[in-house]
């Protein structure tokens, strides 16, 4: 079994910064793409950033230049550095990982439970 455990959310003023972390725990697997999604009240879940095993990151247009996604493959961990935060970044942020279990061909998708990020004065 795999668990994704997120940390680092909280309340921050506009213009401030937060750093989210997500670690995949368990055994018998390797981690392919990892990503961060977010869901604001009344809105659908949207992709924020996705990072390949080669550490190539892609971002939503709304966060380009402000957010930086990185990963530590040795620790099966993905990070999201969020700078110049805006009130519209307020949402629950979810970690995603595409997991390949030993002996299986296809990936299975796993989600974290989410961490609240609130940007307000």
């Amino acid at each position: 079994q795999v668990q994704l455990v997120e940390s680092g959310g909280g309340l921050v003023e506009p213009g401030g910064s937060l750093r989210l972390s997500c670690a995949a725990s368990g055994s018998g697997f390797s981690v392919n793409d990892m990503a961060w999604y977010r869901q604001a009240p009344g809105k659908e879940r949207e992709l924020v950033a996705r990072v390949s095993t080669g550490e190539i990151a892609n971002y939503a247009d709304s966060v380009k230049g402000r957010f930086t996604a990185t990963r530590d493959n040795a620790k099966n961990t993905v990070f999201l550095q969020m700078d110049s935060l805006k009130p519209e970044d307020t949402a629950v942020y979810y970690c995603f990982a595409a997991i390949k279990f030993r002996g299986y061909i296809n990936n299975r998708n796993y989600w974290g439970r989410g961490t609240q990020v609130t940007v307000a004065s």
Side-chain angles (χ1 to χ4, degrees):
Q1 191 59 278
V2 175
Q3 279 193 319
L4 300 182
V5 179
E6 300 128 328
S7 62
L11 172 64
V12 64
E13 293 186 347
S17 298
L18 283 174
R19 180 176 170 87
L20 305 183
S21 300
C22 171
S25 63
S27 62
F29 64 88
S30 58
V31 183
N32 291 325
D33 283 5
M34 301 187 82
W36 290 97
Y37 286 73
R38 67 185 181 187
Q39 187 166 19
K43 295 188 176 182
E44 294 188 353
R45 190 174 296 189
E46 63 174 0
L47 176 66
V48 176
R50 192 173 185 109
V51 190
S52 69
T53 52
E55 303 190 45
I56 304 298
N58 293 288
Y59 300 93
D61 288 343
S62 58
V63 306
K64 281 181 182 176
R66 300 188 298 121
F67 290 12
T68 304
T70 57
R71 62 188 286 175
D72 182 338
N73 289 327
K75 296 182 180 180
N76 291 330
T77 301
V78 64
F79 305 95
L80 186 67
Q81 177 66 40
M82 303 185 292
D83 299 317
S84 302
L85 281 160
K86 304 176 181 180
E88 50 263 44
D89 295 317
T90 295
V92 178
Y93 283 70
Y94 295 92
C95 176
F96 164 89
I99 302 291
K100 183 180 177 303
F101 286 93
R102 197 174 298 137
Y104 290 83
I105 295 174
N106 296 322
N107 291 330
R108 290 185 64 181
N109 296 334
Y110 283 83
W111 294 90
R113 299 181 69 174
T115 184
Q116 177 69 45
V117 171
T118 302
V119 185
S121 300

